[in-house]
Amino acid sequence: MTAVTIIGGGWAGLAAAVRATQKGFAVRLLEAAPQLGGRARRVVHEGLALDNGQHILIGAYRDTLRLLHTLGVDTEAALLRLPLQLQDIHGQGLALPALPAPLNLLVGVCSARGWSWADKFSLLRQATGWQTQGFACEAHMTVAELCQGLTPKVMQQLIDPLCISALNLSATQASGQIFLTVLKDALWSGNGSSDMLLPKVDLGSLMPDAAHAWLTAHGAIVETHQRIEDLGPWLHHHVVLACPSWEAAKLTHGLAPAWSAQAASLTHTAIATVYVRTTQQLSWPHAMVALPSRPDAPAQFAFDKGSLSADPAWQGVLALVVSASTDERDTITQQVMGQIRDQLAIHDASLITTVVEKRATFACTPTLVRPPAQVCAGIWACGDYVAGPYPATLEAAVRSGFAAADALLQ
Ligand SMILES: Cc1cc2nc3c(=O)[nH]c(=O)nc-3n(C[C@H](O)[C@H](O)[C@H](O)COP(=O)(O)OP(=O)(O)OC[C@H]3O[C@@H](n4cnc5c(N)ncnc54)[C@H](O)[C@@H]3O)c2cc1C
């Protein structure tokens, strides 16, 4: 059996380990942290299982769903599937009906609450234009430039929240081409692609725990608390680097300087999640609501964890997400607590914890050149930052993990 060492046990490394094991490699996965999952992991706070950040999957995450299926995860039980909606607590904004695509988009846009016909028409005209141009735009374009024909309301209630949640960057900074790819896969790739899949369990239970059990049952070795500082001892095997870009850059500095420099050049943006508890009865239209975010009220979305799961521990727990966050933890917490009071009319919220991930995602700007999967002979990289069509997402991580394992055979 050919041996492969996988360094990093986030979603990319776990996907690579599963695929390589399926292909008959003797897999050893080494993870620095005490737990698997990386930037999508369980965080236990005073006995309450939360996450390092609220995550959303979408129906277009085909490789992620394939991985969950391989691992035997019951996706019906673990994920709440909802048609795409970006409505506020009053039900204003876009919500797609449960109809076949692309009829769902047409009906959803025409019936968007609070939108004038000029808003609706601008979106339909722009969307038709994107489709006619094959969802391609000039590489230098930002999302804001791409969307110049849209009305301010469509920008505020649809494009800005979609862009910030998918690319973790504002529309004035984010890559138009990557945004178009996400739109195409979500909205024009068949029934269910645009559905939102909200985890009903913590992220550890969603995938990493199942991957650990599957890998062990299939003969792979999985070791946590194993930070690799030097690739030297591992180079007599195939190596897959599944650590984040900044760690991969350090490890390959002497072996592949050009690749290492490219990985090191990526910049990152933060995401903060504020978890609170309330005893107030909520009458939100959905488990997730969009918020009118401003610099001093920075959360873009709120999630009612209690309506996602019957678990008594999650009742009354809310997660408020601040994508592309720039402030320090205390400031974010204070501003979001004000937002909960003023925008959600919740007056008894008590803070559980605020988790700030400073390097949540790489900054997916126009013309960004991402490092390729092959580092040098015998060393591959996988991770959400490796060259590919997607921004930093679970799907990008899993796809690149599968691709790295497939490359081992070539
Ligand atoms: C708060 C937050 C919210 C997000 N929301 C969403 C969302 O809603 N939807 C979505 O699709 N995506 C979301 N993402 C992005 C998604 O979580 C990431 O794209 C994905 O988890 C990246 O996985 P990865 O395996 O590429 O990298 P990582 O998760 O970073 O995994 C790398 C692993 O390598 C380990 N490691 C590092 N150095 C070493 C070393 N020297 N030796 C051994 N191991 C090492 C790390 O500990 C880590 O476990 C979010 C991210 C964050 C942080």
Side-chain angles (χ1 to χ4, degrees):
M1 255 178 152
T2 310
V4 55
T5 306
I6 298 175
I7 297 171
W11 287 52
L14 291 167
V18 169
R19 178 66 69 88
T21 303
Q22 284 178 317
K23 294 203 176 256
F25 287 91
V27 170
R28 173 179 227 129
L29 183 143
L30 305 169
E31 163 58 48
Q35 79 289 315
L36 301 171
R39 277 171 285 151
R41 66 181 186 283
R42 173 171 48 235
V43 169
V44 179
H45 181 82
E46 294 175 357
L48 178 64
L50 300 170
D51 299 318
N52 66 312
Q54 176 68 44
H55 279 58
I56 311 178
L57 291 74
I58 58 168
Y61 281 12
R62 301 227 159 76
D63 281 342
T64 306
L65 293 171
R66 193 168 297 140
L67 174 64
L68 294 176
H69 180 73
T70 300
L71 300 176
V73 174
D74 178 353
T75 48
E76 303 262 310
L79 295 166
L80 176 69
R81 185 179 271 269
L82 293 173
L84 177 75
Q85 64 79 23
L86 293 166
Q87 290 184 325
D88 64 18
I89 50 165
H90 309 295
Q92 298 285 302
L94 184 77
L96 300 192
L99 289 172
L103 194 60
N104 59 346
L105 183 62
L106 187 64
V107 175
V109 172
C110 290
S111 56
R113 288 179 56 191
W115 287 15
S116 68
W117 278 106
D119 297 324
K120 295 171 187 179
F121 182 66
S122 79
L123 180 56
L124 291 174
R125 190 184 47 206
Q126 186 86 72
T128 311
W130 291 334
Q131 194 181 16
T132 312
Q133 286 156 19
F135 296 95
C137 71
E138 289 176 43
H140 63 80
M141 285 181 96
T142 63
V143 172
E145 286 163 352
L146 184 72
C147 297
Q148 268 173 358
L150 296 176
T151 62
K153 182 160 269 175
V154 175
M155 280 309 288
Q156 277 158 22
Q157 292 194 355
L158 180 67
I159 302 296
D160 288 342
L162 267 187
C163 178
I164 206 121
S165 58
L167 277 77
N168 196 25
L169 270 186
S170 72
T172 53
Q173 297 171 296
S175 157
Q177 181 55 66
I178 299 279
F179 184 68
L180 274 183
T181 304
V182 174
L183 282 188
K184 172 168 103 14
D185 286 2
L187 297 170
W188 277 270
S189 300
N191 296 344
S193 300
S194 61
D195 288 351
M196 301 187 311
L197 310 177
L198 304 183
K200 296 191 215 172
V201 293
D202 66 71
L203 290 172
S205 306
L206 180 59
M207 197 283 277
D209 293 354
H212 193 176
W214 188 97
L215 287 166
T216 310
H218 288 78
I221 298 169
V222 178
E223 295 175 46
T224 52
H225 299 95
Q226 290 283 358
R227 172 170 292 281
I228 304 307
E229 311 271 6
D230 171 18
L231 289 183
W234 307 101
L235 290 179
H236 53 287
H237 298 147
H238 289 307
V239 171
V240 175
L241 289 176
C243 40
S245 55
W246 57 92
E247 286 286 336
K250 272 194 251 164
L251 287 169
T252 55
H253 185 63
L255 290 165
W259 190 94
S260 166
Q262 206 172 23
S265 71
L266 299 181
T267 57
H268 294 84
T269 47
I271 301 179
T273 307
V274 180
Y275 291 102
V276 300
R277 194 182 285 285
T278 175
T279 57
Q280 245 176 264
Q281 207 61 31
L282 304 177
S283 52
W284 298 358
H286 310 281
M288 165 189 150
V289 290
L291 299 170
S293 122
R294 303 185 308 258
D296 61 340
Q300 295 94 4
F301 292 102
F303 295 79
D304 174 8
K305 308 265 306 168
S307 74
L308 292 174
S309 160
D311 182 347
W314 274 15
Q315 300 315 301
V317 174
L318 309 181
L320 288 101
V321 176
V322 185
S323 291
S325 65
T326 47
D327 282 315
E328 289 306 313
R329 191 181 137 101
D330 289 351
T331 310
I332 295 169
T333 305
Q334 203 184 6
Q335 291 175 332
V336 171
M337 292 306 277
Q339 215 174 345
I340 293 170
R341 194 185 53 239
D342 301 340
Q343 295 181 356
L344 295 174
I346 294 174
H347 299 285
D348 71 341
S350 57
L351 180 69
I352 300 173
T353 185
T354 299
V355 186
V356 181
E357 286 274 5
K358 291 261 184 211
R359 290 194 279 196
T361 61
F362 70 86
C364 195
T365 49
T367 68
L368 178 72
V369 182
R370 290 151 65 175
Q374 176 124 39
V375 178
C376 57
I379 306 182
W380 287 266
C382 63
D384 59 2
Y385 69 93
V386 169
Y390 267 32
T393 51
L394 297 174
E395 179 69 2
V398 170
R399 276 193 194 188
S400 80
F402 283 167
D406 291 342
L408 293 171
L409 285 175
Q410 288 158 15

